Amino acid sequence: MDRQELMAYLDQCLQPERFNDYCPNGLQVEGKKAINKIITGVTACQALLDRAVKEQADLILVHHGYFWKNEQPNIIGMKKKRLKTLLMADINLVAYHLPLDAQVQFGNNVQLAKHLGIEIDGEILNYQGMGLLLTGHLPQPATGSEFAALIAKKLDRTPLHIGQDDTKINTVAWCTGAAPDLIELVVQAGVDAYLTGEAAERTVHIARETGVHFYAAGHHATERYGIKALGEHLAERFGLTVKFIDIDNPI
Ligand SMILES: [Zn+2]
């Protein structure tokens, strides 16, 4: 498949022009034109690049790419090594950040709900029509520890849980990645529990003092499912070989 054709399709799906993001979305590093094999992953770290080279991939598709706002622009050290790996192997790097969080079909938020069996009801916060902080309900009410156990089982990672088992959780709000401060909107909305990737020191007090259950289930762990679903879709639609590689990250 021609790279330009693939990029046109991805941009049509993810509509990066609608977002004012912290990084460029789409093709970040140009490689070969003909695409047959794609490696997907959460972050374009060196370990993922090395695996992609080994797999003779033509393109790496990630959620966390490069060239973040406020990062040092110098191509030295770690960054030199990463870019050299890509350029020497002529591998394309394609990244979608906020557009992949919010996408209605393959987005991280929608896919996390699917993975955990949460039924989506709506959203508390959206970005130009696409949900960034979703709300839903559990198929059946669960105690705080029961929901923590479900997250641990489904994400293969024990979440940090702040909350008591004296009431049952019906409604849940969630935002993948690092969004601990959205807990304030969740409190205002009267939702029983809030799930995100990372916690902040202050989040614990807000959860304790408002009674909202708080779960930090891992930035990486909550953001595996969007890029994986997008890759599976590309494989099915265009007959490409796509492999998701999970480089473990405890945060
Ligand atoms: Zn993220």
mmCIF file of all heavy atoms in Angstrom, residues 135-153:
data_model
loop_
_atom_site.group_PDB
_atom_site.id
_atom_site.type_symbol
_atom_site.label_atom_id
_atom_site.label_comp_id
_atom_site.label_asym_id
_atom_site.label_seq_id
_atom_site.Cartn_x
_atom_site.Cartn_y
_atom_site.Cartn_z
ATOM 1 N N THR A 135 -18.676 8.998 30.322
ATOM 2 C CA THR A 135 -19.386 8.417 31.468
ATOM 3 C C THR A 135 -20.153 7.197 31.005
ATOM 4 O O THR A 135 -20.548 7.089 29.841
ATOM 5 C CB THR A 135 -20.414 9.391 32.099
ATOM 6 O OG1 THR A 135 -21.315 9.811 31.074
ATOM 7 C CG2 THR A 135 -19.757 10.566 32.733
ATOM 8 N N GLY A 136 -20.366 6.304 31.957
ATOM 9 C CA GLY A 136 -21.116 5.098 31.645
ATOM 10 C C GLY A 136 -21.512 4.391 32.917
ATOM 11 O O GLY A 136 -21.388 4.958 34.009
ATOM 12 N N HIS A 137 -21.975 3.177 32.775
ATOM 13 C CA HIS A 137 -22.344 2.422 33.974
ATOM 14 C C HIS A 137 -21.842 0.985 33.871
ATOM 15 O O HIS A 137 -21.619 0.460 32.776
ATOM 16 C CB HIS A 137 -23.854 2.470 34.194
ATOM 17 C CG HIS A 137 -24.641 1.850 33.079
ATOM 18 N ND1 HIS A 137 -24.995 2.536 31.942
ATOM 19 C CD2 HIS A 137 -25.113 0.588 32.925
ATOM 20 C CE1 HIS A 137 -25.668 1.723 31.128
ATOM 21 N NE2 HIS A 137 -25.752 0.537 31.704
ATOM 22 N N LEU A 138 -21.692 0.380 35.032
ATOM 23 C CA LEU A 138 -21.250 -1.013 35.091
ATOM 24 C C LEU A 138 -22.453 -1.905 34.764
ATOM 25 O O LEU A 138 -23.587 -1.549 35.082
ATOM 26 C CB LEU A 138 -20.722 -1.343 36.492
ATOM 27 C CG LEU A 138 -19.543 -0.492 36.975
ATOM 28 C CD1 LEU A 138 -19.082 -0.960 38.354
ATOM 29 C CD2 LEU A 138 -18.377 -0.565 35.988
ATOM 30 N N PRO A 139 -22.220 -3.049 34.147
ATOM 31 C CA PRO A 139 -23.329 -3.952 33.830
ATOM 32 C C PRO A 139 -24.112 -4.323 35.096
ATOM 33 O O PRO A 139 -25.320 -4.492 35.061
ATOM 34 C CB PRO A 139 -22.661 -5.174 33.220
ATOM 35 C CG PRO A 139 -21.223 -4.870 33.093
ATOM 36 C CD PRO A 139 -20.923 -3.554 33.716
ATOM 37 N N GLN A 140 -23.389 -4.464 36.223
ATOM 38 C CA GLN A 140 -24.083 -4.581 37.510
ATOM 39 C C GLN A 140 -23.261 -3.861 38.576
ATOM 40 O O GLN A 140 -22.024 -3.871 38.516
ATOM 41 C CB GLN A 140 -24.329 -6.039 37.881
ATOM 42 C CG GLN A 140 -23.103 -6.905 37.793
ATOM 43 C CD GLN A 140 -23.498 -8.369 37.641
ATOM 44 O OE1 GLN A 140 -24.575 -8.696 37.160
ATOM 45 N NE2 GLN A 140 -22.633 -9.244 38.074
ATOM 46 N N PRO A 141 -23.979 -3.237 39.545
ATOM 47 C CA PRO A 141 -23.276 -2.481 40.586
ATOM 48 C C PRO A 141 -22.205 -3.324 41.274
ATOM 49 O O PRO A 141 -22.395 -4.530 41.474
ATOM 50 C CB PRO A 141 -24.390 -2.113 41.568
ATOM 51 C CG PRO A 141 -25.642 -2.143 40.755
ATOM 52 C CD PRO A 141 -25.445 -3.202 39.725
ATOM 53 N N ALA A 142 -21.086 -2.682 41.596
ATOM 54 C CA ALA A 142 -19.970 -3.405 42.211
ATOM 55 C C ALA A 142 -19.402 -2.568 43.343
ATOM 56 O O ALA A 142 -19.496 -1.337 43.322
ATOM 57 C CB ALA A 142 -18.894 -3.656 41.164
ATOM 58 N N THR A 143 -18.798 -3.221 44.330
ATOM 59 C CA THR A 143 -18.108 -2.462 45.380
ATOM 60 C C THR A 143 -16.807 -1.927 44.781
ATOM 61 O O THR A 143 -16.365 -2.387 43.712
ATOM 62 C CB THR A 143 -17.751 -3.357 46.584
ATOM 63 O OG1 THR A 143 -16.817 -4.352 46.134
ATOM 64 C CG2 THR A 143 -18.972 -4.019 47.181
ATOM 65 N N GLY A 144 -16.203 -0.990 45.505
ATOM 66 C CA GLY A 144 -14.939 -0.426 45.046
ATOM 67 C C GLY A 144 -13.876 -1.492 44.833
ATOM 68 O O GLY A 144 -13.139 -1.456 43.844
ATOM 69 N N SER A 145 -13.803 -2.461 45.733
ATOM 70 C CA SER A 145 -12.775 -3.504 45.566
ATOM 71 C C SER A 145 -13.116 -4.463 44.439
ATOM 72 O O SER A 145 -12.224 -4.985 43.772
ATOM 73 C CB SER A 145 -12.555 -4.322 46.829
ATOM 74 O OG SER A 145 -13.004 -3.685 47.944
ATOM 75 N N GLU A 146 -14.404 -4.712 44.233
ATOM 76 C CA GLU A 146 -14.785 -5.588 43.103
ATOM 77 C C GLU A 146 -14.397 -4.946 41.768
ATOM 78 O O GLU A 146 -13.881 -5.617 40.874
ATOM 79 C CB GLU A 146 -16.303 -5.855 43.121
ATOM 80 C CG GLU A 146 -16.718 -6.873 44.165
ATOM 81 C CD GLU A 146 -18.231 -6.910 44.422
ATOM 82 O OE1 GLU A 146 -18.980 -6.094 43.858
ATOM 83 O OE2 GLU A 146 -18.636 -7.768 45.216
ATOM 84 N N PHE A 147 -14.634 -3.640 41.654
ATOM 85 C CA PHE A 147 -14.279 -2.966 40.402
ATOM 86 C C PHE A 147 -12.752 -2.926 40.241
ATOM 87 O O PHE A 147 -12.230 -3.107 39.144
ATOM 88 C CB PHE A 147 -14.893 -1.554 40.360
ATOM 89 C CG PHE A 147 -14.738 -0.860 39.030
ATOM 90 C CD1 PHE A 147 -14.992 -1.531 37.833
ATOM 91 C CD2 PHE A 147 -14.328 0.471 38.961
ATOM 92 C CE1 PHE A 147 -14.838 -0.884 36.598
ATOM 93 C CE2 PHE A 147 -14.178 1.118 37.737
ATOM 94 C CZ PHE A 147 -14.433 0.439 36.557
ATOM 95 N N ALA A 148 -12.033 -2.732 41.367
ATOM 96 C CA ALA A 148 -10.564 -2.751 41.313
ATOM 97 C C ALA A 148 -10.064 -4.114 40.830
ATOM 98 O O ALA A 148 -9.120 -4.206 40.029
ATOM 99 C CB ALA A 148 -9.981 -2.429 42.685
ATOM 100 N N ALA A 149 -10.719 -5.174 41.296
ATOM 101 C CA ALA A 149 -10.312 -6.523 40.895
ATOM 102 C C ALA A 149 -10.576 -6.757 39.409
ATOM 103 O O ALA A 149 -9.782 -7.400 38.711
ATOM 104 C CB ALA A 149 -11.058 -7.552 41.737
ATOM 105 N N LEU A 150 -11.681 -6.214 38.915
ATOM 106 C CA LEU A 150 -12.000 -6.347 37.492
ATOM 107 C C LEU A 150 -10.939 -5.629 36.639
ATOM 108 O O LEU A 150 -10.434 -6.162 35.645
ATOM 109 C CB LEU A 150 -13.387 -5.750 37.198
ATOM 110 C CG LEU A 150 -13.750 -5.718 35.722
ATOM 111 C CD1 LEU A 150 -14.411 -7.035 35.304
ATOM 112 C CD2 LEU A 150 -14.672 -4.556 35.370
ATOM 113 N N ILE A 151 -10.576 -4.397 37.072
ATOM 114 C CA ILE A 151 -9.553 -3.629 36.336
ATOM 115 C C ILE A 151 -8.233 -4.414 36.335
ATOM 116 O O ILE A 151 -7.586 -4.552 35.295
ATOM 117 C CB ILE A 151 -9.348 -2.237 36.992
ATOM 118 C CG1 ILE A 151 -10.606 -1.377 36.850
ATOM 119 C CG2 ILE A 151 -8.153 -1.521 36.370
ATOM 120 C CD1 ILE A 151 -10.594 -0.112 37.704
ATOM 121 N N ALA A 152 -7.872 -4.945 37.503
ATOM 122 C CA ALA A 152 -6.609 -5.685 37.618
ATOM 123 C C ALA A 152 -6.583 -6.871 36.663
ATOM 124 O O ALA A 152 -5.579 -7.137 35.999
ATOM 125 C CB ALA A 152 -6.419 -6.157 39.052
ATOM 126 N N LYS A 153 -7.705 -7.553 36.562
ATOM 127 C CA LYS A 153 -7.788 -8.738 35.718
ATOM 128 C C LYS A 153 -7.740 -8.357 34.235
ATOM 129 O O LYS A 153 -6.994 -8.929 33.449
ATOM 130 C CB LYS A 153 -9.103 -9.459 36.041
ATOM 131 C CG LYS A 153 -9.257 -10.784 35.345
ATOM 132 C CD LYS A 153 -10.495 -11.521 35.828
ATOM 133 C CE LYS A 153 -10.982 -12.433 34.725
ATOM 134 N NZ LYS A 153 -12.441 -12.491 34.671
#
